[in-house]
Amino acid sequence: MDFKDSDAEATYRAAARAWLYAHIAEHDAGHYPDDMTRAKAWQARKAAGGYACITWPQEWGGGGGTPIESVIFGQEEAKHAVDGSYFTIGLGMCVPTVMAYADDATKHRFVGPAVRGDEIWSQLFSEPAGGSDVAAIRARAVRAKNADGSDDWVINGQKVWTSGAHYSDYGIVLVRTNPDVPKHQGLTMFWLDLKAPGIEIRPIHQMSGGSSFNEVWFEDVRIADAQRLGPVDGGWKVALFTLMNERLAIGTSGGVGPEDILAFAAQANGADGPLLKDTAFRQTLADWWVQSEGLRNTRMRTITALSKGQVPGPESSIGKIVAANQLQAIGNTAVEAGDQYGIISDPALTPLKGAFHAATMWAPGLRIAGGTDEILKNIIAERVLGLPGEIRVDKDQAFRDLPVGA
Amino acid sequence: MNFDYSDDQKFLKDEARKFLSAHCGSDRVRAVLDDAANAYDADLWKAVGEQGWLGAAIPEQFGGLGLGHIELCAIAEELGRACAPIPFASTVYFVAEALMLYGSDTQKVRWLPRIAAGDVIGAFATSEGAGPVTARSIHTSVSGGKLTGEKIPVTDGDVADLIIVLARDGLYLVEKGAGVTAEVLETLDPTRSAARLSFNDAPCEKLGSDDGIAAMQTVFDRAAVLLAFEQLGGADRCLEMAKGYALDRYAFGRQIGGYQAIKHKLADMYVKNELARSNAYYGAWALNADAAELPLAAATARVAASDAYWFASKENIQTHGGMGFTWESDCHLYYRRSRQLALVAGSPAAWRERLVGQLEMRNAA
Ligand SMILES: Cc1cc2nc3c(=O)[nH]c(=O)nc-3n(C[C@H](O)[C@H](O)[C@H](O)COP(=O)(O)OP(=O)(O)OC[C@H]3O[C@@H](n4cnc5c(N)ncnc54)[C@H](O)[C@@H]3O)c2cc1C
């Protein structure tokens, strides 16, 4: 048990540090009209330096490196205030799916620009009728013949909770192409241009106040058969490939942690002096510390597995369950500590510029996005522990005959 | 980065598991449980001594194998898994560690080789009643080289040859014999014996400096990491038992492991066990490297492991239903042991308090 880099890892880390040192000033001081432009410029610079998509082949614009190198660069990059969140869904989930299922011309057209941050991608899976049960989606695509005899598809329906659709250029979309067979057998995956005619993107106002996700409406959206990813009606396998990458891409949350509430509690008032002197609070704080250290140390075990050439398995599901619930608990504890004053969320009047209040309002989304607590526990129970799968009463029924609720 | 056992350590751990499954089945644990006169499994103790485990972390010059603390952690994990009914923790994690930390050369030469050989059982006597041990709770004192006072409970106190006693002005070595009487106590976990020890002008020898509480805490920090591995081994075994039962038992026409109330319970166990494992590894690193982070890492490992073992041992019974509540089921062996291990070096509440105290100190620095 040690934290030492191997010689090769140490060399890579030193080079990554030097590269970051040489380029971070421009990122920090450069004049950009907005955050997105700054983020795109940084992504382009990383791509030029071989530090974007480190594990991808160089011929696709990646770094041609190993998973452990990717982790090392991530650790070094995390010491600086750069925001890569615009690219997480595209590079983490959508583009790998394109790389696995598209033809060469499509890959050549899209992979490079995505790696360089020129183009941003969204994942259009969820619908009002299908979130956890992704295969229950209803948005339809039907074939339409062109004059020259080639195939097009016409999409109608609605997607929902699509993160980043309002600033994205392209997306991968899962649609129903055959409602007469059981739900998993009638789905097809496509890529599409989010600026195409017939697509309307409406921001959703979130309970946390912001609008990071959207409704996406399709009205007679016409796309070419060449935009298909995988076989007709074979989209479920493609979706599983995407979702498998999702578990790896979605890591921990950021936001407030035990260190923040410790600092807060040292000066916040409890009934008998500082909150930090309150016995019950101290006991809970210790548990949060133990959890977040547990996650930190679990990451070290994952990195160890990576550095030995192993792939992390579904175990990574524990990170989001623990982190999201802890974020909610820490945020709310700080809110309640204010007694009557705790209700005030004005950043100018609250500790850490309102970070605890923001955590309280963001955590519910984190417990749902990318797999709910319940679904992640099912995954642990079934794939890690080998317990029986859920009963699937709809397995053999045609999709069109399935009961529907709200 | 290597945040895992090395191949050699894994080999040692596998061998320990094989050895214990051959020599420490639950029948052996039950033999100690069922027989009040039997404080521990003497045959197993002897066999474990022959394996060299007692001296795994004791330097070769003092008769040990001179391996290291990570190797000892690997052994501890397996002992915890097997719920081994022997005075291993008292002798090795507490007494041998205290001797290695504070013993004079003469004391080390005198005791460590005999501990490594399995000829001496140790006990670490600190508590004098309910509540955490503090400077104010200690009445035991020494005058003219003779120690007087009462310690309750002392794990393995009834069978110990060498007792390290916390007195008002430091730690003392006391040998079983004149001036020492033991009364066996009824406890939650009869597979690990405990006693009330009365000292009446017992001959003693000073161990280390005058600040007994600080010395005790340092020994506790080291023991906490090793105990965390025993706890982790036990918690893992509980999850394994629960999983086995969940797959075997049918209710309402299907395996109970197919119901989410059970699936999610087991997933929660898994999450707690993995967090505990990761924290235990960090503790092992800090212990082995004698890192400045040890007090915080030890507290973190101990709180996580106590929590995981408690949860796993109680929900294992629940998963087994009525069967789990019977004497015949092995579930209660682990439930009992989880209580014994959670308290033997101070309660989870006390360790949470210590953890936060460490954080405060770190932030003040
Ligand atoms: C912030 C945010 C960003 C998102 N971004 C995207 C995106 O970019 N692209 C995209 O496609 N989607 C996105 N989503 C959608 C997200 O994937 C879904 O919201 C999520 O999978 C849950 O689906 P649902 O909302 O339909 O809830 P439902 O599936 O209706 O679940 C409702 C409740 O039922 C429980 N439940 C459902 N099935 C089971 C079961 N089998 N066992 C036990 N409990 C069950 C759930 O755990 C939950 O508590 C985002 C969501 C959020 C909150």
Side-chain angles (χ1 to χ4, degrees):
Chain A
M1 316 256 175
D2 64 51
F3 308 113
K4 286 196 232 34
D5 288 332
S6 71
D7 288 348
E9 288 161 6
T11 308
Y12 186 86
R13 190 184 296 279
R17 259 191 210 154
W19 185 90
L20 282 161
Y21 183 76
H23 292 90
I24 200 73
E26 158 62 14
H27 170 273
D28 290 345
H31 296 288
Y32 299 98
D34 52 42
D35 291 347
M36 158 96 71
T37 320
R38 181 193 308 272
K40 284 187 164 187
W42 179 244
Q43 184 69 21
R45 221 172 282 128
K46 283 202 296 184
Y51 291 115
C53 302
I54 288 168
T55 57
W56 295 10
Q58 278 168 337
E59 69 163 309
W60 297 113
T66 63
I68 186 72
E69 288 173 352
S70 173
V71 168
I72 290 171
F73 184 80
Q75 287 173 335
E76 295 301 322
E77 189 185 27
K79 295 174 184 165
H80 306 280
V82 298
D83 178 10
S85 63
Y86 296 107
F87 312 108
T88 313
I89 291 177
L91 298 178
M93 299 164 232
C94 304
V95 180
T97 307
V98 169
M99 285 166 84
Y101 288 95
D103 56 37
D104 270 359
T106 309
K107 286 193 262 189
H108 278 115
R109 162 62 188 85
F110 288 113
V111 179
V115 173
R116 288 191 298 273
D118 292 344
E119 291 169 351
I120 296 182
W121 286 68
S122 286
Q123 174 178 314
L124 299 101
F125 285 13
S126 302
E127 293 182 14
S132 301
D133 185 6
V134 184
I137 56 161
R138 298 177 191 167
R140 290 208 55 182
V142 294
R143 277 180 204 260
K145 283 274 176 231
N146 288 323
D148 65 1
S150 65
D151 272 327
D152 269 356
W153 294 88
V154 176
I155 304 181
N156 278 286
Q158 181 200 356
K159 294 288 168 184
V160 78
W161 324 129
T162 316
S163 298
H166 53 304
Y167 53 66
S168 292
D169 304 287
Y170 297 94
I172 58 171
V173 62
L174 188 66
V175 287
R176 185 157 307 279
T177 39
N178 186 354
D180 300 321
V181 290
K183 63 179 182 180
H184 291 107
Q185 295 164 26
L187 302 170
T188 305
M189 187 82 81
F190 295 92
W191 66 263
L192 51 69
D193 179 349
L194 285 174
K195 313 259 171 8
I199 297 181
E200 194 194 333
I201 295 168
R202 299 183 197 153
I204 298 175
H205 197 188
Q206 290 157 197
M207 65 164 267
S208 53
S211 293
S212 64
F213 57 39
N214 307 268
E215 291 180 301
V216 182
W217 294 82
F218 297 90
E219 201 186 324
D220 291 334
V221 177
R222 204 168 169 107
I223 60 174
D225 187 53
Q227 289 172 241
R228 184 156 47 79
L229 299 169
V232 174
D233 293 345
W236 181 243
K237 236 185 90 188
V238 186
L240 284 182
F241 178 86
T242 313
L243 293 172
M244 190 185 75
N245 284 316
E246 175 161 28
R247 313 256 179 264
L248 296 179
I250 296 187
T252 46
S253 56
V256 288
E259 299 273 12
D260 301 299
I261 198 163
L262 172 70
F264 162 72
Q267 31 83 23
N269 282 332
D272 315 301
L275 178 60
L276 188 50
K277 295 297 160 206
D278 178 87
T279 308
F281 175 80
R282 292 170 80 82
Q283 293 281 310
T284 309
L285 174 63
D287 286 333
W288 289 329
W289 175 263
V290 165
Q291 281 179 340
S292 61
E293 280 288 285
L295 290 184
R296 187 179 72 93
N297 292 322
T298 300
R299 272 194 293 283
M300 310 244 204
R301 289 170 53 208
T302 307
I303 295 170
T304 299
L306 285 174
S307 72
K308 290 182 182 163
Q310 296 156 11
V311 237
E315 303 80 37
S316 42
S317 300
I318 71 175
K320 194 176 82 86
I321 302 180
V322 175
N325 282 279
Q326 182 181 95
L327 188 71
Q328 192 163 37
I330 287 182
N332 182 54
T333 300
V335 166
E336 287 190 2
D339 203 271
Q340 298 185 42
Y341 189 87
I343 199 76
I344 301 175
S345 62
D346 182 341
L349 297 174
T350 51
L352 278 181
K353 298 202 180 80
F356 293 114
H357 291 76
T360 306
M361 297 310 287
W362 168 241
L366 195 61
R367 290 183 55 197
I368 295 165
T372 63
D373 286 1
E374 291 75 18
I375 294 296
L376 295 181
K377 285 184 191 182
N378 282 350
I379 289 174
I380 292 173
E382 292 170 22
R383 304 227 201 112
V384 182
L385 300 176
L387 295 172
E390 296 294 284
I391 291 180
R392 313 235 176 243
V393 290
D394 53 2
K395 206 171 59 189
D396 302 318
Q397 282 185 54
F399 176 76
R400 66 164 77 252
D401 299 332
L402 293 182
V404 289
Chain B
M1 173 73 68
N2 188 7
F3 209 60
D4 195 357
Y5 291 119
S6 69
D7 288 343
D8 284 350
Q9 288 156 355
K10 279 186 190 148
F11 179 77
L12 172 74
K13 189 165 173 292
D14 285 348
E15 291 299 306
R17 182 172 301 191
K18 278 187 217 149
F19 178 85
L20 287 166
S21 59
H23 294 87
C24 185
S26 67
D27 53 324
R28 298 285 288 266
V29 185
R30 287 174 169 281
V32 176
L33 178 70
D34 289 334
D35 179 359
N38 216 354
Y40 68 101
D41 185 330
D43 292 341
L44 179 63
W45 179 249
K46 193 159 166 281
V48 157
E50 282 159 7
Q51 294 295 308
W53 296 355
L54 298 164
I58 295 177
E60 281 170 293
Q61 63 179 127
F62 299 117
L65 296 181
L67 291 170
H69 280 87
I70 303 201
E71 283 75 5
L72 188 53
C73 289
I75 292 169
E77 193 178 333
E78 294 306 322
L79 289 168
R81 220 187 127 76
C83 219
I86 48 175
F88 195 91
S90 303
T91 306
V92 177
Y93 314 158
F94 292 93
V95 170
E97 289 297 323
L99 281 164
M100 288 194 279
L101 275 171
Y102 299 114
S104 64
D105 277 350
T106 329
Q107 287 167 333
K108 288 186 200 169
V109 168
R110 168 134 197 250
W111 291 109
L112 289 174
R114 295 168 67 194
I115 287 177
D119 295 337
V120 163
I121 290 175
F124 195 59
T126 55
S127 171
E128 296 188 11
V133 177
T134 64
R136 261 180 299 143
S137 76
I138 303 304
H139 301 285
T140 299
S141 61
V142 174
S143 98
K146 301 283 170 72
L147 183 137
T148 299
E150 185 181 275
K151 292 287 176 184
I152 175 169
V154 182
T155 300
D156 301 308
D158 48 331
V159 290
D161 308 290
L162 174 66
I163 306 142
I164 295 181
V165 184
L166 173 64
R168 298 179 74 94
D169 64 340
L171 298 177
Y172 287 84
L173 294 174
V174 178
E175 287 178 61
K176 178 158 81 184
V180 184
T181 49
E183 175 204 337
V184 176
L185 302 168
E186 191 177 317
T187 67
L188 283 178
D189 181 13
T191 68
R192 302 294 301 102
S193 79
R196 179 208 303 269
L197 289 186
S198 305
F199 302 94
N200 198 348
D201 279 340
C204 64
E205 203 179 282
K206 189 82 184 276
L207 180 71
S209 72
D210 282 348
D211 191 344
I213 293 283
M216 172 195 78
Q217 191 57 63
T218 305
V219 175
F220 274 8
D221 284 347
R222 301 176 78 80
V225 174
L226 296 157
L227 291 167
F229 277 88
E230 282 207 11
Q231 293 170 304
L232 175 64
D236 272 346
R237 179 72 193 119
C238 289
L239 173 55
E240 222 173 72
M241 290 166 73
K243 179 182 139 181
Y245 196 79
L247 290 172
D248 283 349
R249 175 73 174 171
Y250 280 68
F252 304 101
R254 64 187 307 224
Q255 289 159 302
I256 59 167
Y259 295 109
Q260 277 189 4
I262 297 290
K263 276 165 95 162
H264 288 190
K265 190 192 286 306
L266 268 54
D268 288 341
M269 275 190 208
Y270 175 80
V271 169
K272 282 180 186 291
N273 287 5
E274 288 311 298
L275 295 185
R277 178 183 316 284
S278 302
N279 284 326
Y281 282 12
Y282 187 61
W285 165 79
L287 174 63
N288 201 51
D290 239 326
E293 291 90 340
L294 179 61
L296 182 55
T300 306
R302 179 152 176 82
V303 172
S306 298
D307 179 42
Y309 200 2
W310 168 237
F311 184 78
S313 70
K314 79 186 169 78
E315 298 309 321
N316 181 35
I317 299 176
Q318 184 68 17
T319 303
H320 278 75
M323 180 62 82
F325 190 60
T326 63
W327 189 265
E328 282 67 37
S329 153
D330 285 347
C331 294
H332 67 116
L333 304 180
Y334 290 87
Y335 189 71
R336 293 172 188 285
R337 184 61 64 83
S338 89
R339 301 302 74 218
Q340 198 272 339
L341 288 174
L343 297 173
V344 66
S347 72
W351 280 95
R352 288 195 183 91
E353 177 50 45
R354 175 159 172 80
L355 190 162
V356 176
Q358 291 290 317
L359 288 178
E360 284 178 296
M361 271 164 55
R362 197 176 75 165
N363 281 11

